[in-house]
Amino acid sequence: MSSNTDCFTASVNPDKDHADSAKDPVCGMSVVLNGTKPSLEFEEETYHFCSSGCHDKFQADPEFYLTGGHLKRRQNSAGKNTQYTCPMHPEIIKDEFTDCPLCGMALEPIGAPADGPNPEMVDFTRRFAFSAVFTIPVLVLAMGPMLGIPVRDILGSQVSTWAEMLFTAPIVIWAAAPFFKRGWSSLQNRSPNMWTLIAIGVGAAFLYSVVATLLPDLFPLEIRKDGTTVPVYFESAAVIICLVFLGQILELRAREQTGDAIKSLMKLAPQTACRINEKDQERDVPIENILPGDRLRIKPGDSIPVDGVILEGNSSLNESMLTGEALPTPKSPGEAVIAGTLNTSGSLIIQAEKTGDETALSGIIEMVVSAQRSRAPIQNLADRVAAYFVPTVVLTAIATFVIWMLIGPEPAFSFALVSAVSVLIIACPCALGLATPMSIMAATGRGALGGVLIRNAEGLEGLSRATVLVVDKTGTLTEGKPSVTNIAPVDGRSRKDLLALAAGLEKGSEHPLANAILTCAEGENILPLPVTGFHALSGMGTHATLPDGPVAIGNRAFMAHQKIDISALEGRALLAEKRGETIAYVARKGALDGMITLSDTLKKEARGSLAVLKKQGLRIIIATGDSEGPAKVVGEKLGLDEIYYNLLPADKKQLVEKLQNEGHIVAMAGDGINDAPALVQSNVGIAMGTGMDVSLESADITLLNGDLRATARAVKLSHETIRNIKQNLVLAFGYNSICVPIAAGILYPLTGSLLSPMIAAAAMSLSSVSVITNALRLRNLKLDEGEA
C-alpha cells in the first residue's frame, strides 16, 4: 500500500508550472489551492478536491483511488446509454424517452426499473389534478338542475353554456394535449390505436359543442332548448379526459408492480462491502469499488456482494431468492459463492472473481428483462385482431351516427352524436395489447424468484403444451457427484498405476465421473500421469498417449470402438452394473489395464418431483449415455420403464426427433453440455443450472438449483401463465364485444336511454386496469405443492 501511495504523491503535489495547484485524485482535475476547495488528510498526506462530491468519494474509499482502482473500473466498464422500449411492442427501441409510434404508450427503460418517479406518472398526475379542478364547475353547470342546484336558472342557459366552454377549453387544449399528440402521431404512422379513438371522440364532442355555443343558428330549431341554446357536451369531454387520466395513472401504477421481482433481485446485492487491503486492514467501501481479486470479509447476516470463491471460513448460505431452495447450503474454502445470497452463520473471507454487470445476479436480472420483452406465439392472435380493431371501431361509430340520424327519435342529431362518441371512447385496444405482455412480465419475474429463469416467452408457452419430458440421468435424476467405489486392475497390474493413469486421462475434463476419479487420486496422494495428445469422443471416452504407447479410458462402447477386449473383467463388470454402478474401463497399449467403478446418489427429491410432473400430464423418459445396468436401476427406483441408455449426444437428439415425428411436443431437461444437441432440437430446452452459469444458450429455461422440483415449478408456471393470458384475452375480447354494441344504443328500445360517454370513458379505463390486475396475480403464484 505504501508503494502505491508514494508513487501517487507526485500527482497530488503542486504542478511545476502552477505551484498553487494540485491534482484531484478522483477526477484528475487541477485544483487551485486557495482554501475554497475541500481537502482531506490521509496517512499524513493532504489531498485536494474540485468539489465536495469528489471529496466524499475519496473519503469513503481512499485506497481505491490511490491504487488506480477507479482507472481500472473505467477501463472495464463500457458506458451503456439507457434505451427505451414499449411494453406492448418490444421491437420498438429508442435512445430517448418518448412515445411508442405504434400504440402511443410512453416507452419504458430497458433493464432494471428506474428508482425515481415515472416521468409519465408525474406528468399525468399533474394534468389529472388540473383537469379535475376545472371539471367540477363544468359538472355543476351541466348537471346542477338534475341535483336540484338552480345554477342555470340563476345564470341563464346561454351564460351557463359559455361558462362551460371557458372551463372546458383549458382541459382540452392543455391537459389533453398528450392525447391529441398521440392520436395525430398514430395517423401519421398509419397505426391507429386507443389514442386515435380518444382524440376523435373527445375532439368531436368538444368541437361540436364549441360550434353549437358560438353559432347556434346553424342548428335546426327542433334540437334547441327553449328555442335558443343547442345541447352541448362540454361535461362529457371534460369528464372523459379526467377519467382517461385516472385510468392511465392506475394502469401505470399497476404496470410498475410487474417490475417488483427485478427490484427484489436488485436489492439482494448490498450497497457496500468490507474489503481487506494488503495490510489486512478492513474498510466498508461502496460495492461499485470492488474489483476482481479483492479480498472481502463476509460477516454472519451479510449478503454476498460479488461472485467469488471462499478463501477462509465455513458457513451456510441461504440461496432461496436465487434458486428457490429453502434450506441453507453448506460452504467451505474453495467453493464458489454467488452475489445476492445470504451468509447465515460463520464468518468468511472470499476473493472477488466477478463484479458489477459480470455477476450471476446481474445475468439473472438481464435474462428476466430480456424475457419480459419477448413475445409469446399466442400474442399473434391479439396482434391480428388489433390490426383491424381501430378501423372497425371508427366504421362502427360512423355507422352508428348514420343509423341514429336516419331512424332515431328527435333530437336525432344529439342521439347520433352521443352514441358515436360513446362507441369511440368505450372501445379499448389497449386492453387487448396488454393482455399477453403483462402476464409474461409478471410470470418471468415470479419464475426468477423461484429459481426458474425463462429465456423467452416462446419457451414458456411451449412448456405449457409439452406432452413428453426427456430427462438426462446424471446431474438431473442423480446428484451428479459420483464417487469411486472400486478400483479393479487386471491381474498383474498395479492399483496405484491404474488410478494414476485414469487421473491423467481425466485431467482437464469437466465430466462428473472425471472429477470423481481425480478426487479419489488426490485423496490417496497419487499424481496423475502426464499424458499428451488428448482426444475425446463425447459421451464415450478419451484416448491419449504416453511415451510407451497409446492409453484410453471410457465406457463399454468406447472400448469396442478402440478394439480393446474387456472380457477379463466381464463378470465383475456385470455384477457392478446390476448394483447400478457406472464403469470406466482403462486401457494401455491396446490392452485392458483395469476398470474403475463409480456410483452416484439418487436425488432425494427425484421421486416426488416426477410424481408431480406426471400429475401435470407429462410422459417421462430417461435418456442417458450410461450403460444399461445403472440406467435401469435408476428407472426401477423411480418407477419409470421408458429408459434409453448408451446414448451419444447425437442419439439423444435423434430420440427427440423421433418423439416429435410421432406428434409429441418435447421438453428436454439436461446439463446443457453433452445434452446441448437434444436441448436445441427439443421444443423446449431446460438446462439444469447451478446458479453460477445463467448463459446456457441452448436452453429456453434455466433452473438455478438444478433439481426436478424446479422443473415442476416451471411447468406449473407455464400452465398458469397461459391460463392467465387466455383470461386476459377473454376479458379484452369480451369487454369490447359487449360494450361496443351497448354504446351504439342496442339497448335503447328496452331501456329508453343511451350509455353516457362519461360512463364509456370510465369503462374503457377500467378495462386495461382489470387486465393488468389479473396478470399481477401471477406474482403471488404458489409454485410448490403445499407452499404457504
Side-chain angles (χ1 to χ4, degrees), residues 510-530:
E510 295 181 356
H511 195 281
L513 297 179
N515 291 334
I517 291 173
L518 289 167
T519 300
C520 181
E522 183 179 349
E524 297 189 19
N525 296 317
I526 296 174
L527 295 177
L529 288 181

mmCIF file of all heavy atoms in Angstrom, residues 510-530:
data_model
loop_
_atom_site.group_PDB
_atom_site.id
_atom_site.type_symbol
_atom_site.label_atom_id
_atom_site.label_comp_id
_atom_site.label_asym_id
_atom_site.label_seq_id
_atom_site.Cartn_x
_atom_site.Cartn_y
_atom_site.Cartn_z
ATOM 1 N N GLU A 510 -14.365 -31.841 -17.476
ATOM 2 C CA GLU A 510 -15.342 -31.305 -16.535
ATOM 3 C C GLU A 510 -16.462 -32.302 -16.247
ATOM 4 O O GLU A 510 -17.418 -31.980 -15.546
ATOM 5 C CB GLU A 510 -15.945 -30.006 -17.091
ATOM 6 C CG GLU A 510 -14.924 -28.880 -17.216
ATOM 7 C CD GLU A 510 -15.551 -27.603 -17.741
ATOM 8 O OE1 GLU A 510 -16.747 -27.626 -18.078
ATOM 9 O OE2 GLU A 510 -14.854 -26.575 -17.802
ATOM 10 N N HIS A 511 -16.351 -33.521 -16.773
ATOM 11 C CA HIS A 511 -17.407 -34.512 -16.552
ATOM 12 C C HIS A 511 -17.423 -34.948 -15.090
ATOM 13 O O HIS A 511 -16.366 -35.077 -14.458
ATOM 14 C CB HIS A 511 -17.167 -35.721 -17.461
ATOM 15 C CG HIS A 511 -18.350 -36.623 -17.583
ATOM 16 N ND1 HIS A 511 -18.690 -37.535 -16.603
ATOM 17 C CD2 HIS A 511 -19.297 -36.743 -18.548
ATOM 18 C CE1 HIS A 511 -19.774 -38.181 -16.958
ATOM 19 N NE2 HIS A 511 -20.172 -37.721 -18.146
ATOM 20 N N PRO A 512 -18.603 -35.160 -14.498
ATOM 21 C CA PRO A 512 -18.681 -35.571 -13.089
ATOM 22 C C PRO A 512 -17.879 -36.831 -12.780
ATOM 23 O O PRO A 512 -17.282 -36.951 -11.710
ATOM 24 C CB PRO A 512 -20.184 -35.800 -12.876
ATOM 25 C CG PRO A 512 -20.854 -34.924 -13.889
ATOM 26 C CD PRO A 512 -19.947 -34.921 -15.071
ATOM 27 N N LEU A 513 -17.847 -37.800 -13.720
ATOM 28 C CA LEU A 513 -17.072 -39.037 -13.490
ATOM 29 C C LEU A 513 -15.581 -38.719 -13.424
ATOM 30 O O LEU A 513 -14.845 -39.307 -12.621
ATOM 31 C CB LEU A 513 -17.356 -40.051 -14.593
ATOM 32 C CG LEU A 513 -18.797 -40.566 -14.694
ATOM 33 C CD1 LEU A 513 -18.928 -41.552 -15.850
ATOM 34 C CD2 LEU A 513 -19.245 -41.219 -13.391
ATOM 35 N N ALA A 514 -15.134 -37.799 -14.271
ATOM 36 C CA ALA A 514 -13.729 -37.406 -14.261
ATOM 37 C C ALA A 514 -13.371 -36.746 -12.934
ATOM 38 O O ALA A 514 -12.311 -37.035 -12.343
ATOM 39 C CB ALA A 514 -13.442 -36.464 -15.422
ATOM 40 N N ASN A 515 -14.249 -35.887 -12.442
ATOM 41 C CA ASN A 515 -13.994 -35.233 -11.160
ATOM 42 C C ASN A 515 -13.908 -36.247 -10.027
ATOM 43 O O ASN A 515 -13.095 -36.102 -9.110
ATOM 44 C CB ASN A 515 -15.109 -34.224 -10.864
ATOM 45 C CG ASN A 515 -15.072 -33.037 -11.803
ATOM 46 O OD1 ASN A 515 -14.007 -32.702 -12.328
ATOM 47 N ND2 ASN A 515 -16.204 -32.394 -12.013
ATOM 48 N N ALA A 516 -14.736 -37.293 -10.087
ATOM 49 C CA ALA A 516 -14.716 -38.310 -9.046
ATOM 50 C C ALA A 516 -13.387 -39.057 -9.039
ATOM 51 O O ALA A 516 -12.808 -39.335 -7.974
ATOM 52 C CB ALA A 516 -15.870 -39.289 -9.257
ATOM 53 N N ILE A 517 -12.880 -39.385 -10.221
ATOM 54 C CA ILE A 517 -11.600 -40.108 -10.319
ATOM 55 C C ILE A 517 -10.459 -39.217 -9.837
ATOM 56 O O ILE A 517 -9.566 -39.669 -9.097
ATOM 57 C CB ILE A 517 -11.375 -40.586 -11.766
ATOM 58 C CG1 ILE A 517 -12.389 -41.688 -12.107
ATOM 59 C CG2 ILE A 517 -9.942 -41.079 -11.965
ATOM 60 C CD1 ILE A 517 -12.382 -42.122 -13.551
ATOM 61 N N LEU A 518 -10.466 -37.966 -10.229
ATOM 62 C CA LEU A 518 -9.407 -37.038 -9.802
ATOM 63 C C LEU A 518 -9.447 -36.820 -8.296
ATOM 64 O O LEU A 518 -8.401 -36.735 -7.636
ATOM 65 C CB LEU A 518 -9.562 -35.710 -10.543
ATOM 66 C CG LEU A 518 -9.212 -35.737 -12.034
ATOM 67 C CD1 LEU A 518 -9.690 -34.476 -12.727
ATOM 68 C CD2 LEU A 518 -7.702 -35.910 -12.207
ATOM 69 N N THR A 519 -10.657 -36.728 -7.732
ATOM 70 C CA THR A 519 -10.801 -36.557 -6.282
ATOM 71 C C THR A 519 -10.259 -37.772 -5.540
ATOM 72 O O THR A 519 -9.590 -37.651 -4.507
ATOM 73 C CB THR A 519 -12.274 -36.331 -5.913
ATOM 74 O OG1 THR A 519 -12.751 -35.157 -6.578
ATOM 75 C CG2 THR A 519 -12.444 -36.166 -4.408
ATOM 76 N N CYS A 520 -10.539 -38.945 -6.070
ATOM 77 C CA CYS A 520 -10.048 -40.184 -5.459
ATOM 78 C C CYS A 520 -8.517 -40.224 -5.482
ATOM 79 O O CYS A 520 -7.875 -40.569 -4.482
ATOM 80 C CB CYS A 520 -10.632 -41.389 -6.189
ATOM 81 S SG CYS A 520 -10.111 -42.989 -5.512
ATOM 82 N N ALA A 521 -7.929 -39.875 -6.626
ATOM 83 C CA ALA A 521 -6.471 -39.869 -6.740
ATOM 84 C C ALA A 521 -5.845 -38.863 -5.779
ATOM 85 O O ALA A 521 -4.835 -39.153 -5.120
ATOM 86 C CB ALA A 521 -6.068 -39.556 -8.179
ATOM 87 N N GLU A 522 -6.453 -37.701 -5.681
ATOM 88 C CA GLU A 522 -5.935 -36.679 -4.778
ATOM 89 C C GLU A 522 -6.014 -37.143 -3.331
ATOM 90 O O GLU A 522 -5.110 -36.901 -2.529
ATOM 91 C CB GLU A 522 -6.754 -35.381 -4.966
ATOM 92 C CG GLU A 522 -6.251 -34.219 -4.125
ATOM 93 C CD GLU A 522 -7.067 -32.959 -4.344
ATOM 94 O OE1 GLU A 522 -7.892 -32.928 -5.299
ATOM 95 O OE2 GLU A 522 -6.907 -32.011 -3.567
ATOM 96 N N GLY A 523 -7.128 -37.824 -2.992
ATOM 97 C CA GLY A 523 -7.292 -38.315 -1.627
ATOM 98 C C GLY A 523 -6.269 -39.362 -1.257
ATOM 99 O O GLY A 523 -5.926 -39.530 -0.076
ATOM 100 N N GLU A 524 -5.758 -40.092 -2.249
ATOM 101 C CA GLU A 524 -4.741 -41.130 -1.997
ATOM 102 C C GLU A 524 -3.339 -40.639 -2.320
ATOM 103 O O GLU A 524 -2.394 -41.433 -2.378
ATOM 104 C CB GLU A 524 -5.077 -42.379 -2.812
ATOM 105 C CG GLU A 524 -6.399 -43.023 -2.420
ATOM 106 C CD GLU A 524 -6.612 -44.372 -3.082
ATOM 107 O OE1 GLU A 524 -5.608 -44.973 -3.538
ATOM 108 O OE2 GLU A 524 -7.771 -44.835 -3.147
ATOM 109 N N ASN A 525 -3.212 -39.296 -2.551
ATOM 110 C CA ASN A 525 -1.895 -38.688 -2.843
ATOM 111 C C ASN A 525 -1.220 -39.320 -4.046
ATOM 112 O O ASN A 525 0.006 -39.559 -4.064
ATOM 113 C CB ASN A 525 -0.977 -38.770 -1.618
ATOM 114 C CG ASN A 525 -1.500 -37.960 -0.446
ATOM 115 O OD1 ASN A 525 -1.970 -36.839 -0.623
ATOM 116 N ND2 ASN A 525 -1.427 -38.531 0.748
ATOM 117 N N ILE A 526 -2.017 -39.645 -5.053
ATOM 118 C CA ILE A 526 -1.495 -40.222 -6.294
ATOM 119 C C ILE A 526 -1.481 -39.151 -7.372
ATOM 120 O O ILE A 526 -2.519 -38.533 -7.658
ATOM 121 C CB ILE A 526 -2.344 -41.429 -6.740
ATOM 122 C CG1 ILE A 526 -2.237 -42.555 -5.704
ATOM 123 C CG2 ILE A 526 -1.923 -41.910 -8.121
ATOM 124 C CD1 ILE A 526 -3.153 -43.728 -6.000
ATOM 125 N N LEU A 527 -0.325 -38.904 -7.968
ATOM 126 C CA LEU A 527 -0.198 -37.871 -9.001
ATOM 127 C C LEU A 527 -0.650 -38.416 -10.354
ATOM 128 O O LEU A 527 -0.278 -39.541 -10.730
ATOM 129 C CB LEU A 527 1.252 -37.398 -9.099
ATOM 130 C CG LEU A 527 1.811 -36.670 -7.865
ATOM 131 C CD1 LEU A 527 3.281 -36.334 -8.088
ATOM 132 C CD2 LEU A 527 1.001 -35.407 -7.574
ATOM 133 N N PRO A 528 -1.438 -37.669 -11.109
ATOM 134 C CA PRO A 528 -1.859 -38.111 -12.447
ATOM 135 C C PRO A 528 -0.654 -38.259 -13.370
ATOM 136 O O PRO A 528 0.278 -37.449 -13.340
ATOM 137 C CB PRO A 528 -2.789 -36.978 -12.919
ATOM 138 C CG PRO A 528 -3.217 -36.269 -11.669
ATOM 139 C CD PRO A 528 -2.067 -36.382 -10.727
ATOM 140 N N LEU A 529 -0.648 -39.291 -14.201
ATOM 141 C CA LEU A 529 0.418 -39.454 -15.181
ATOM 142 C C LEU A 529 0.330 -38.351 -16.237
ATOM 143 O O LEU A 529 -0.760 -37.991 -16.687
ATOM 144 C CB LEU A 529 0.307 -40.826 -15.859
ATOM 145 C CG LEU A 529 0.676 -42.051 -15.016
ATOM 146 C CD1 LEU A 529 0.522 -43.320 -15.855
ATOM 147 C CD2 LEU A 529 2.098 -41.935 -14.486
ATOM 148 N N PRO A 530 1.473 -37.829 -16.672
ATOM 149 C CA PRO A 530 1.461 -36.736 -17.661
ATOM 150 C C PRO A 530 1.259 -37.244 -19.087
ATOM 151 O O PRO A 530 2.212 -37.405 -19.857
ATOM 152 C CB PRO A 530 2.847 -36.104 -17.482
ATOM 153 C CG PRO A 530 3.711 -37.230 -17.006
ATOM 154 C CD PRO A 530 2.837 -38.128 -16.173
#
